[in-house]
C-alpha cells in the first residue's frame, strides 16, 4: 500500500472520528483523575478502576484497525472523489460550452463584418470599373486593358474575401459544407475551359465537425492544386473525388490527364511546399504523384483522436 | 426612342451602387432608369406613378427589407418584374425571395452587362439567375417531395447534418432546446432509426434533405 494512500486513510479517519477520539481521551483523563483521587496513581490500576467505574469496558480490536472498516472509509473517499470529479467535469463542460459559444459569436460577427464591409466596398470598385470601361473610348486599347486588369484583380480579391468569410463562418466547419464548397470550386474553376470535369462525392459518415481553420487548410490545398492544374497541366479531363469511409478516414483526390511535372524540380516552388505545410498542420497525409500522363493529388485524413470531432449526442 | 425602352426602378441603399447602376442602365440601349430610391419605404408611394417594367431590388434595406417588400411590390404592381440584386446567396434567402415573388436573382459581383441581359430576359418571361444562385435552387429542388418529415423537422435535420448541436439549432431556429429534442425524436421515429448518423444517412439516401 502506498504511503499516500495510508496518509489519506488516517487523515480521513481523524476527520470522521475526531469527536469519538475526544470522548476516549476524556474517559482516559477521567480514569486518571479517579486513580489520583483514590491514591492509586499507577497505570496498572487505572484499567482496574476503569473496568470497575465505567462498566462495561471490554477490550476488543479497534474498529479502525479492521480491514472492513478500512474498505468502508476508502469507499467513502472514492465516492467523495467521484462526486467532486463529476462536479469538476460539469464545470469544465460548462466552461467549454461558454467558450465555444463565444468563439461562435466572434467568428460569426467577424465573418459578417468582413462580408458587409470589405465585400460591399469591393463590389463598389467592381461597379466603378464597369462604369469607367463604358466611358473609355473603344480605340484606347491600352486603357481598356488596364481597366480590365483592375476588374480582374478586384474579382479575385472579392473571391478571396468570400473564401475568408466562408472559412470564418462557424456554420461551415462541417465536412458536408467543405465537400460542397470544394465541389463548387472545382466546377467554377474549370467553367469556360475545354476541360471535362467530373466530381464524385461519397460520404458514408455524417455529422463531422472540423476544428477551427481545418477546412481552410483543406480548401487552400486544393485551390492551389486546381490553380496549378489550370495553369500548367494542359489536361483534357479532371476527376475530383471526396470519399469518406466507415472507419472515419476521409480522402480527397484530384486527378488530371495533363502533361505532369517534375516533382523534384517543382518541390522548390512555394506552391507545393505550402500545400505540404498545410497538410502537416492538420495532421493529414498529402501525396502528389506526377508523370507524363497526369498528376494526382491525394489528401488523406485519418480519424485520430482530437483530429476532428464526431459529434453524436444520441 | 425612350418610349420603347424598359422603365427601370432601382431600390438600393448604397448611393455609389445606386448611381452606378443608374449610369450603366441609362447607357444601355434598351433601358432607362425612371427613379431610384434608398429604401422600399421611400419608394412605395411613388411606384404607381413611376410605372416601372422592372425593379432592381436590394435585400438589405433600411426599414422594410427586400424579402418583406416583395409581396407588397407584387400586390402594388402585379405586372412588374422584380430582380433581386444582393450580396446574399444563402439557400434560405434565395428560396425566400423566389417564394415571395422575385422573378430573378443576381449577386452584385456579376459584371453589369449580365444584369442588363437579365433585364431583357426577365421581360421575355425568363427567370434569370447567376450561376451560383441557380445551383442552389436546383439542389433544393432535388429533394424528395414525398418526405414524411415536416418542414421544421427537415430544417432541424439539415442543421444536424451540418454538425450543429441541439442548442445551436435552437438558437438558429428561434425555438427551445426541448422543442429541438422533440423534433429529433419524431425524426428518429419517422425514419425508423436510433442515431444521428443513421438519421442523416437515411434522409440523404431518400433525398429528404
Amino acid at each position: 500500500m502506498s504511503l499516500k494512500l495510508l496518509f489519506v486513510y488516517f487523515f480521513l479517519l481523524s476527520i470522521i472520528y475526531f469527536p469519538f477520539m475526544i470522548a476516549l481521551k476524556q474517559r482516559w483523563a477521567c480514569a486518571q483523575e479517579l486513580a489520583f483521587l483514590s491514591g492509586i496513581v499507577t497505570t496498572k490500576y487505572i484499567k482496574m478502576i476503569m473496568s470497575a467505574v465505567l462498566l462495561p469496558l471490554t477490550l476488543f480490536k479497534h474498529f479502525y484497525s479492521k480491514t472492513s472498516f478500512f474498505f468502508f472509509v476508502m469507499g467513502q473517499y472514492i465516492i467523495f472523489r467521484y462526486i467532486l470529479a463529476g462536479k469538476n467535469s460539469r464545470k469544465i463542460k460548462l466552461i467549454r460550452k461558454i467558450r465555444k459559444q463565444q468563439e461562435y459569436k466572434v467568428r460569426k460577427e467577424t465573418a459578417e463584418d468582413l462580408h458587409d464591409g470589405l465585400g460591399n466596398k469591393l463590389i463598389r470598385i467592381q461597379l466603378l470599373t464597369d462604369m469607367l470601361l463604358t466611358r473609355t473610348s473603344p480605340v484606347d486599347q491600352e486603357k481598356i486593358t488596364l481597366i480590365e486588369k483592375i476588374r480582374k484583380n478586384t474579382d479575385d480579391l472579392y473571391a478571396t474575401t468570400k473564401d475568408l468569410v466562408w472559412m470564418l463562418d462557424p456554420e461551415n466547419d462541417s465536412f458536408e459544407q467543405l465537400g460542397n464548397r470544394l465541389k463548387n470550386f472545382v466546377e467554377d474553376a474549370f467553367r469556360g475551359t475545354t476541360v471535362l470535369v467530373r466530381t464524385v462525392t461519397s460520404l458514408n459518415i455524417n455529422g463531422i465537425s472540423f476544428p477551427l481553420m481545418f477546412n481552410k487548410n483543406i480548401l487552400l490545398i486544393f485551390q492551389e492544386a486546381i490553380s496549378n492544374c489550370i495553369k500548367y497541366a494542359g489536361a483534357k479531363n479532371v476527376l475530383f473525388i471526396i470519399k469518406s469511409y466507415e472507419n472515419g478516414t476521409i480522402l480527397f483526390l484530384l486527378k488530371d490527364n495533363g502533361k505532369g511535372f517534375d516533382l523534384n524540380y517543382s518541390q522548390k516552388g512555394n506552391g507545393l511546399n505550402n500545400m505540404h505545410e498545410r497538410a502537416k498542420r492538420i495532421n493529414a497525409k498529402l501525396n502528389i504523384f506526377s508523370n507524363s500522363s497526369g498528376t494526382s493529388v491525394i489528401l488523406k485524413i485519418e480519424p485520430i483522436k482530437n483530429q476532428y470531432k464526431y459529434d453524436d449526442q444520441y | 426612342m425612350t418610349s420603347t425602352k424598359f422603365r427601370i426602378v432601382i431600390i438600393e441603399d448604397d448611393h455609389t451602387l445606386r448611381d452606378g447602376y443608374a449610369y450603366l442602365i441609362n447607357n444601355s440601349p434598351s433601358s432607362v432608369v425612371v427613379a431610384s430610391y434608398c429604401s422600399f419605404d421611400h419608394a412605395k408611394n411613388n411606384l404607381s406613378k413611376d410605372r416601372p417594367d422592372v425593379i432592381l431590388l436590394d435585400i438589405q434595406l433600411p426599414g422594410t427589407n427586400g424579402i418583406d417588400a416583395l409581396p407588397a411590390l407584387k400586390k402594388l404592381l402585379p405586372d412588374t418584374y422584380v430582380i433581386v440584386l444582393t450580396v446574399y446567396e444563402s439557400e434560405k434567402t434565395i428560396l425566400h425571395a423566389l417564394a415571395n415573388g422575385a422573378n430573378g436573382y443576381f449577386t452584385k459581383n456579376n459584371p453589369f452587362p449580365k444584369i442588363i441581359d437579365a433585364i431583357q430576359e426577365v421581360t421575355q418571361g425568363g427567370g434569370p439567375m447567376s450561376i451560383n444562385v441557380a445551383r442552389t435552387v436546383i439542389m433544393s429542388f432535388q429533394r424528395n417531395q414525398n418526405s414524411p418529415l415536416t418542414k421544421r423537422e427537415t430544417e432541424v435535420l439539415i442543421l444536424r447534418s451540418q454538425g450543429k448541436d441541439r442548442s445551436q439549432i435552437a438558437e438558429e431556429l428561434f425555438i427551445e432546446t426541448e422543442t429541438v429534442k422533440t423534433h429529433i425524436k419524431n425524426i428518429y421515429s419517422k425514419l425508423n432509426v436510433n442515431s444521428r448518423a443513421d438519421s442523416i444517412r437515411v434522409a440523404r439516401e431518400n433525398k429528404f434533405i
Side-chain angles (χ1 to χ4, degrees):
Chain A
M1 191 183 294
S2 76
L3 201 65
K4 193 183 162 193
L5 213 58
L6 263 177
F7 176 75
V8 169
Y9 175 61
F10 285 113
F11 176 70
L12 286 170
L13 203 63
S14 62
I15 289 174
I16 298 164
Y17 295 99
F18 186 64
F20 189 73
M21 286 164 96
I22 288 173
L24 269 182
K25 208 175 170 185
Q26 279 171 348
R27 283 172 97 187
W28 181 248
C30 179
Q32 275 180 325
E33 204 172 325
L34 278 169
F36 177 75
L37 286 174
S38 57
I40 312 161
V41 286
T42 52
T43 323
K44 186 184 162 186
Y45 295 106
I46 291 174
K47 271 186 190 170
M48 267 176 60
I49 293 162
M50 279 179 75
S51 49
V53 177
L54 301 162
L55 272 173
L57 187 77
T58 44
L59 287 174
F60 58 92
K61 197 179 175 185
H62 291 125
F63 63 90
Y64 50 80
S65 310
K66 286 183 184 170
T67 324
S68 58
F69 186 72
F70 170 75
F71 284 115
F72 172 68
V73 174
M74 287 319 289
Q76 282 184 324
Y77 173 68
I78 289 164
I79 290 166
F80 172 70
R81 284 300 300 262
Y82 184 76
I83 293 167
L84 205 71
K87 262 190 182 173
N88 280 344
S89 93
R90 274 197 295 277
K91 204 173 159 189
I92 290 167
K93 265 186 192 168
L94 188 70
I95 291 169
R96 262 193 213 148
K97 198 181 166 190
I98 293 169
R99 201 176 287 164
K100 208 177 156 193
Q101 280 173 346
Q102 278 175 338
E103 184 195 294
Y104 186 91
K105 204 177 152 207
V106 169
R107 285 179 61 190
K108 190 98 191 145
E109 282 175 5
T110 314
E112 281 168 7
D113 289 348
L114 252 181
H115 181 266
D116 294 349
L118 201 55
N120 277 343
K121 292 225 166 36
L122 285 170
I123 282 167
R124 280 189 205 170
I125 299 174
Q126 285 175 331
L127 192 71
L128 292 169
T129 321
D130 284 347
M131 285 167 72
L132 192 59
L133 205 59
T134 58
R135 287 190 187 187
T136 311
S137 160
V139 287
D140 203 344
Q141 204 51 48
E142 204 181 336
K143 266 189 196 166
I144 289 175
T145 312
L146 274 174
I147 297 166
E148 279 172 351
K149 272 187 185 168
I150 296 173
R151 171 80 204 201
K152 168 82 179 56
N153 277 288
T154 320
D155 287 352
D156 290 348
L157 191 56
Y158 183 80
T160 312
T161 311
K162 243 174 88 176
D163 282 342
L164 199 62
V165 169
W166 184 87
M167 289 161 197
L168 267 173
D169 191 341
E171 287 181 15
N172 297 323
D173 284 347
S174 72
F175 176 46
E176 197 193 8
Q177 292 288 337
L178 174 72
N180 283 339
R181 179 79 180 178
L182 274 172
K183 201 171 152 238
N184 292 346
F185 183 79
V186 174
E187 285 168 2
D188 288 345
F190 289 99
R191 183 169 291 117
T193 66
T194 52
V195 184
L196 201 68
V197 183
R198 204 174 140 229
T199 55
V200 181
T201 46
S202 160
L203 312 178
N204 289 323
I205 43 175
N206 298 297
I208 291 175
S209 178
F210 289 130
L212 178 64
M213 294 295 138
F214 202 91
N215 276 356
K216 176 191 133 187
N217 286 301
I218 300 172
L219 192 69
L220 291 176
I221 287 171
F222 281 96
Q223 282 189 354
E224 183 68 37
I226 290 159
S227 149
N228 285 344
C229 177
I230 293 170
K231 277 188 204 159
Y232 311 116
K236 281 182 181 164
N237 292 296
V238 168
L239 176 67
F240 184 63
I241 296 175
I242 306 172
K243 193 168 167 58
S244 65
Y245 295 89
E246 292 288 349
N247 69 352
T249 304
I250 300 168
L251 196 82
F252 300 85
L253 163 73
L254 182 76
K255 193 175 187 307
D256 68 57
N257 65 347
K259 60 187 175 196
F261 60 93
D262 185 351
L263 274 170
N264 294 328
Y265 177 73
S266 304
Q267 204 75 24
K268 290 168 192 159
N270 272 336
L272 289 186
N273 281 346
N274 282 348
M275 284 163 74
H276 282 287
E277 195 55 43
R278 288 189 189 285
K280 214 197 280 177
R281 268 184 223 161
I282 55 170
N283 292 325
K285 275 183 201 157
L286 178 70
N287 289 309
I288 303 173
F289 305 101
S290 191
N291 56 34
S292 56
S293 58
T295 305
S296 295
V297 179
I298 303 166
L299 185 77
K300 193 175 170 192
I301 304 167
E302 302 278 3
I304 305 164
K305 202 185 170 193
N306 294 332
Q307 175 84 342
Y308 59 74
K309 190 178 73 178
Y310 184 46
D311 183 17
D312 203 332
Q313 288 173 9
Y314 288 88
Chain B
M1 291 282 283
T2 313
S3 58
T4 58
K5 285 186 173 185
F6 298 120
R7 297 167 63 83
I8 314 290
V9 160
I10 300 164
I11 306 178
E12 162 70 61
D13 62 331
D14 186 310
H15 74 92
T16 311
L17 295 184
R18 199 167 60 235
D19 295 348
Y21 295 155
Y23 174 81
L24 289 167
I25 290 169
N26 287 331
N27 260 283
S28 72
S30 57
S31 313
V32 62
V33 176
V34 288
S36 56
Y37 302 99
C38 63
S39 74
F40 169 72
D41 299 333
H42 276 95
K44 60 183 173 190
N45 294 328
N46 302 321
L47 284 173
S48 317
K49 208 169 56 201
D50 293 333
R51 291 181 293 108
D53 297 309
V54 179
I55 297 175
L56 295 183
L57 177 71
D58 189 14
I59 283 183
Q60 201 183 30
L61 292 169
T64 313
N65 68 44
I67 301 275
D68 294 337
L70 270 159
L73 279 174
K74 284 283 155 188
K75 203 175 168 189
L76 201 67
L77 305 161
D79 298 327
T80 301
Y81 300 104
V82 183
I83 297 176
V84 171
L85 198 53
T86 178
V87 285
Y88 297 101
E89 49 186 313
S90 71
E91 182 183 324
K92 198 176 153 192
T93 317
I94 294 169
L95 295 181
H96 207 159
L98 294 176
N100 275 9
N103 300 94
Y105 196 108
F106 270 81
T107 45
K108 286 179 181 173
N109 60 316
N110 279 282
F112 207 77
K114 280 197 179 172
I115 314 290
I116 304 279
D117 293 345
I119 293 172
Q120 295 267 13
E121 198 183 329
V122 80
T123 51
Q124 287 160 12
M129 287 176 206
S130 30
I131 293 164
N132 43 351
V133 174
R135 182 161 47 206
T136 310
V137 174
I138 288 166
M139 272 173 74
S140 77
F141 277 100
Q142 277 171 350
R143 282 187 205 129
N144 191 338
Q145 300 301 313
N146 299 320
S147 170
L149 307 177
T150 64
K151 199 180 160 197
R152 203 52 149 181
E153 284 162 1
T154 312
E155 279 175 345
V156 170
L157 198 55
I158 289 172
L159 291 174
R160 274 175 79 71
S161 74
Q162 291 167 4
K164 286 184 188 161
D165 62 29
R166 279 169 290 171
S167 54
Q168 285 171 329
I169 295 172
E171 210 170 284
E172 191 148 319
L173 299 178
F174 302 108
I175 52 177
E176 291 293 322
T177 318
E178 283 305 311
T179 319
V180 177
K181 257 188 186 176
T182 317
H183 282 312
I184 291 167
K185 264 183 205 155
N186 292 341
I187 292 169
Y188 285 5
S189 120
K190 282 180 183 176
L191 300 182
N192 199 17
V193 292
N194 293 311
S195 75
R196 173 200 184 116
D198 281 348
S199 67
I200 298 167
R201 184 179 50 76
V202 170
R204 277 233 180 88
E205 279 170 6
N206 295 296
K207 293 197 182 300
F208 297 152
I209 58 168

